[in-house]
Amino acid sequence: MHRADRSVFRRVILGVCILGILAVCLVAGRYIQVTMQQLQDTHRTIYDQQLRNGFVAMNDAQRLVAILQEAAWQGEVSPEAAADFQAAADFLFVRIDNLGRALEDGASADKMMISIGQLEQVQALADHLLATDFADLSNTSIALTQRSQAARRALISYLDDMQELQYRISVRQSDAIARQQRVVWGTLICLLALAVVAVFLLYREVRARGASHLAQQRIRHLAFFDTLTGLPNRTSFQDYLDTLLNGRNIVSLLLVDLDGFKLINDTYGHAAGDAILRHVSAKMKRHTQRDRAFVARLGGDEFAIIVQTHDCEEISDICSRLIAEISEPILYEGEVLSTGASIGVALSRQMHPEFGTNVDSLSRFADFALYASKSQGKNRFTFYDKVLEQKYLERRAMIDQLPRAIADGSIDYFLQPKVDLHTGRTHGFEALVRWYRNGRFISPLDFIAIAEESALITDIDYCVLRAATRDLAAHNLQHGTRFAVSVNFSTLHFTSQRFVDTVADALAMSGLPPGLLTIEMTESAEMQDWRAAKQIIAALHHLGVKISIDDFGAGFSSLAYLRTTIADEIKIDRSLVEDVETSDRSRFLLDSILDIAENLELAVIVEGIETRQQADIVRAMGAQTAQGNYFGAAAPKHEALARAQAEKPAPAIKAL
């Protein structure tokens, strides 16, 4: 066979291999898609049609009881309460009808029929109350409570069966995943075989054309060098540092991160960012000759410098010169651009025996020192030392202990009272997370940032929600009170329906009336998806839960929150209150926010009240509710509840 014929033959076989790869991918992808769709349909049928109807029906029945109990406590049924009772009865009728349709579809059992029967008794008594204009309110309130509790027990039994069914579905899902794993492995093997053949043919074709040597050089350069700056890349850096450490050489690692680089990229475009990176790289290349250093670009705007010395004065001189040189402005298309640099330094002699002397450990320590430079104001360098090492060990210990703390109940909460400024009495609380660690409670300032970085913040938030609703509901039931509770949630939660389901579950399991729960949106975190957030907030309102905008006036977009969200109240941040006694500007801002809230018919809570004079001022401005250490610092839940239960009306706060 002639060379040209062999070339054509190789191309044909290469084309067949590529088509084979595409065919295998399409078949495997279609199989996985069909399987996953079947699993999703099964799960959706069980969960959406039955479990959710059960939980919501339980909540509707509890809502009827809550309205009637409040009316019995007041001695009469107001028109507003009667309207709410009518609406709740209508909702319950719809839930019973939905459960009945699920029964017709064959998706239920005997316990579901019992649950429907109990709910119908609740519905019948509610209709009777409406028909008789709430005659004999006291006795009918007790009867409705008893029937509601019977329905609740039946529903819980039924929902337990449904959860068992969910478990069996999970087993089937696991089996399906195992089958998919086999399909994926088979697909990978086929693809690998086809890819090997294709690469072999391609290699032969390139070699036949006489370009093999040039291609190999290009591949090697791409594998070990950064194409933009010409500096060694992360792979070269790791190989070189690993060689030095294994040879027990003296090593100092400098991690360099540019300050303000993202702003340049966003403002002037990526071409300007590339110009900055080339400028910085040119400055750094000088150190490879002057200081016998190895310089690499690790990715983005992060660089590494390896110097074989432990002389701190020499390293400090390198860092100072580097920061000064990087800060020199450059001219780009008529614009003067400049950036700074933060540097973290770690010495191999400082490595803790627990971690060993290796690339990963030294890099982590240098990165921690870099983080310290960033947090201390940027445009500086920091050596990793014993103090930072202790902080690092403590931080690592917290990361290791947090999952166990969530599981064993060490994550707890304190309660801080919310006080009526006119009566001085507590009407609710804010639940503030605490961690009982090493024999003492520690503030969230010490661990929340770590929890967010390790993706444990969601579990912590849900843990506090379930515990707070359970405890407040139990206290109210035992003592005949109606204390409300608010729980903080980051705006990151307002993107998933799971959040709504979790709130509904917490209310159903605790028995707390939805109107006594407030979800506080922490406004210091910027909202990413307004459309999704509005849907989540609407669903929470449908449950009867209140929505509050926390830290109002201290975050990214206070007025945007008022314009785009359906909030019930705002919490004015303590930063607007702390100097209200002496600053006319602060009083003007606070008064303006109160006027806006009044015009939008929003409730207002002023937090951070520390003195009597501050309380007098905000009350004179028209604020109704306040929170702060003046009225009571955050305390363990039992202590805070007992103090509120025993309190007497405080002296009226004088008007200015």
Side-chain angles (χ1 to χ4, degrees):
M1 184 180 293
H2 295 292
R3 180 178 299 176
D5 294 334
R6 286 198 299 270
S7 178
V8 172
F9 178 76
R10 285 195 296 269
R11 292 178 185 177
V12 171
I13 298 300
L14 181 61
V16 171
C17 290
I18 293 174
L19 291 176
I21 291 173
L22 294 175
V24 170
C25 290
L26 288 174
V27 172
R30 180 58 180 168
Y31 171 79
I32 294 174
Q33 180 185 12
V34 171
T35 304
M36 293 305 298
Q37 186 62 49
Q38 292 173 348
L39 292 175
Q40 290 173 357
D41 291 342
T42 302
H43 179 75
R44 188 181 302 113
T45 299
I46 297 299
Y47 186 78
D48 289 346
Q49 294 182 356
Q50 292 170 280
L51 285 178
R52 186 174 298 175
N53 282 336
F55 279 118
V56 176
M58 192 184 305
N59 186 64
D60 290 337
Q62 181 63 31
R63 186 180 174 191
L64 285 170
V65 172
I67 295 172
L68 199 59
Q69 286 180 343
E70 183 174 1
W73 179 69
Q74 294 178 351
E76 62 176 355
V77 181
S78 65
E80 292 82 5
D84 289 344
F85 191 90
Q86 177 70 64
D90 293 340
F91 275 120
L92 182 59
F93 177 81
V94 173
R95 306 307 174 200
I96 295 172
D97 184 61
N98 288 339
L99 288 171
R101 284 201 297 271
L103 183 62
E104 294 171 2
D105 294 339
S108 58
D110 293 340
K111 291 184 178 180
M112 185 176 184
M113 297 176 63
I114 295 173
S115 300
I116 292 175
Q118 295 289 354
L119 289 171
E120 288 176 342
Q121 291 184 25
V122 175
Q123 178 70 49
L125 183 54
D127 292 340
H128 174 72
L129 284 168
L130 290 169
T132 60
D133 198 23
F134 299 93
D136 194 11
L137 184 60
S138 176
N139 291 331
T140 52
S141 174
I142 296 174
L144 184 63
T145 301
Q146 292 173 344
R147 292 187 183 181
S148 175
Q149 290 175 344
R152 178 185 180 87
R153 289 192 295 269
L155 279 170
I156 289 176
S157 178
Y158 159 68
L159 293 174
D160 286 341
D161 287 351
M162 290 299 98
Q163 289 176 346
E164 176 64 22
L165 182 56
Q166 287 287 72
Y167 170 75
R168 292 198 295 271
I169 291 174
S170 297
V171 173
R172 290 201 298 271
Q173 288 177 339
S174 298
D175 294 340
I177 291 173
R179 290 195 302 272
Q180 288 186 15
Q181 185 180 25
R182 290 193 291 271
V183 171
V184 170
W185 275 112
T187 302
L188 289 176
I189 291 172
C190 293
L191 291 176
L192 180 61
L194 291 171
V196 168
V197 174
V199 170
F200 175 75
L201 292 174
L202 183 61
Y203 171 76
R204 292 291 299 273
E205 184 68 14
V206 172
R207 187 175 182 183
R209 291 175 177 271
S212 174
H213 182 66
L214 181 61
Q216 289 177 356
Q217 284 186 330
R218 178 62 175 168
I219 291 172
R220 180 174 178 80
H221 188 271
L222 291 175
F224 296 101
F225 290 88
D226 176 57
T227 55
L228 177 64
T229 63
L231 292 174
N233 61 12
R234 181 180 293 272
T235 301
S236 296
F237 157 75
Q238 292 177 335
D239 290 346
Y240 181 72
L241 183 55
D242 186 59
T243 300
L244 291 178
L245 294 176
N246 287 335
R248 300 186 181 278
N249 291 280
I250 294 174
V251 174
S252 295
L253 174 60
L254 287 63
L255 289 185
V256 183
D257 190 84
L258 302 186
D259 300 328
F261 178 75
K262 184 178 183 301
L263 179 61
I264 292 176
N265 248 352
D266 295 342
T267 304
Y268 299 101
H270 290 286
D274 291 345
I276 288 289
L277 291 175
R278 285 191 291 266
H279 165 74
V280 171
S281 299
K283 300 292 184 182
M284 289 188 173
K285 285 178 182 178
R286 299 178 184 177
H287 291 282
T288 60
Q289 301 174 351
R290 183 191 320 172
D291 303 307
R292 307 178 307 281
F294 177 90
V295 181
R297 182 190 178 199
L298 303 184
D301 60 338
E302 187 176 6
F303 298 83
I305 300 176
I306 300 172
V307 185
Q308 296 187 54
T309 180
H310 282 170
D311 186 333
C312 292
E313 289 189 9
E314 181 180 350
I315 296 172
S316 298
D317 180 62
I318 293 173
C319 292
S320 299
R321 284 191 279 109
L322 195 58
I323 290 174
E325 292 177 8
I326 291 176
S327 300
E328 295 176 359
I330 68 169
L331 187 64
Y332 174 78
E333 295 185 353
E335 297 285 347
V336 177
L337 305 180
S338 62
T339 185
S342 297
I343 303 175
V345 183
L347 279 59
S348 58
R349 71 184 183 193
Q350 298 173 314
M351 303 306 298
H352 195 281
E354 178 184 349
F355 306 108
T357 304
N358 54 57
V359 173
D360 185 58
S361 298
L362 191 62
S363 298
R364 285 204 308 270
F365 291 169
D367 190 63
F368 196 78
L370 173 62
Y371 175 80
S373 294
K374 290 281 190 182
S375 62
Q376 293 170 8
K378 303 180 180 180
N379 206 40
R380 65 183 62 208
F381 63 92
T382 303
F383 280 87
Y384 188 85
D385 56 17
K386 290 297 182 181
V387 175
L388 284 179
E389 180 175 327
Q390 187 60 39
K391 289 182 180 179
Y392 177 82
L393 292 174
E394 176 69 9
R395 181 175 181 272
R396 179 172 175 176
M398 283 189 176
I399 292 174
D400 293 339
Q401 294 170 8
L402 262 177
R404 185 166 62 253
I406 296 171
D408 65 16
S410 298
I411 296 296
D412 204 348
Y413 68 93
F414 281 15
L415 291 175
Q416 185 173 35
K418 296 180 179 179
V419 175
D420 188 311
L421 285 171
H422 294 280
T423 66
R425 295 188 64 88
T426 299
H427 66 80
F429 300 90
E430 179 180 1
L432 301 169
V433 65
R434 294 292 188 273
W435 181 4
Y436 190 73
R437 180 173 183 262
N438 298 333
R440 66 182 183 90
F441 282 104
I442 63 175
S443 167
L445 296 176
D446 296 328
F447 66 90
I448 286 299
I450 295 174
E452 290 174 341
E453 293 175 11
S454 56
L456 292 171
I457 189 63
T458 300
D459 294 334
I460 291 176
D461 288 344
Y462 290 160
C463 179
V464 173
L465 172 68
R466 288 189 290 267
T469 53
R470 179 194 64 220
D471 295 340
L472 266 293
H475 182 88
N476 287 339
L477 182 63
Q478 180 180 358
H479 299 280
T481 55
R482 284 186 55 80
F483 287 133
V485 65
S486 61
V487 183
N488 285 285
F489 284 92
S490 167
T491 53
L492 300 176
H493 288 279
F494 289 78
T495 58
S496 171
Q497 180 63 34
R498 182 196 169 203
F499 180 41
V500 180
D501 298 336
T502 301
V503 174
D505 292 348
L507 290 171
M509 299 305 293
S510 68
L512 184 74
L516 297 182
L517 174 63
T518 299
I519 300 296
E520 295 191 6
M521 301 169 59
T522 305
E523 200 258 335
S524 57
E526 187 174 11
M527 184 74 73
Q528 299 296 324
D529 189 342
W530 289 101
R531 181 176 300 178
K534 291 177 69 175
Q535 294 175 352
I536 299 301
I537 292 171
L540 290 171
H541 271 137
H542 180 69
L543 294 177
V545 174
K546 296 178 181 178
I547 303 297
S548 175
I549 301 175
D550 194 16
D551 300 329
F552 187 84
F556 292 94
S557 46
S558 298
L559 294 179
Y561 272 63
L562 295 183
R563 181 175 57 85
T564 57
T565 62
I566 311 171
D568 300 288
E569 70 176 27
I570 61 174
K571 288 188 70 176
I572 297 178
D573 187 73
R574 65 181 65 247
S575 63
L576 299 178
V577 180
E578 57 188 7
D579 59 348
V580 72
E581 302 164 83
T582 58
S583 172
D584 292 337
R585 181 180 179 87
S586 294
R587 286 195 291 270
F588 175 77
L589 288 174
L590 185 58
D591 192 46
S592 299
I593 294 175
L594 289 170
D595 286 343
I596 293 174
E598 182 180 2
N599 292 333
L600 294 177
E601 298 182 349
L602 295 174
V604 175
I605 296 178
V606 182
E607 60 180 345
I609 300 297
E610 302 290 334
T611 66
R612 176 62 178 265
Q613 187 177 358
Q614 289 176 343
D616 292 340
I617 292 173
V618 298
R619 177 183 176 277
M621 288 182 177
Q624 301 292 323
T625 307
Q627 179 180 344
N629 291 336
Y630 172 71
F631 303 107
K637 51 195 172 187
H638 299 301
E639 177 183 332
L641 287 168
R643 189 166 57 206
Q645 185 70 26
E647 70 184 5
K648 298 179 180 179
I653 298 175
K654 65 182 181 180
L656 294 180

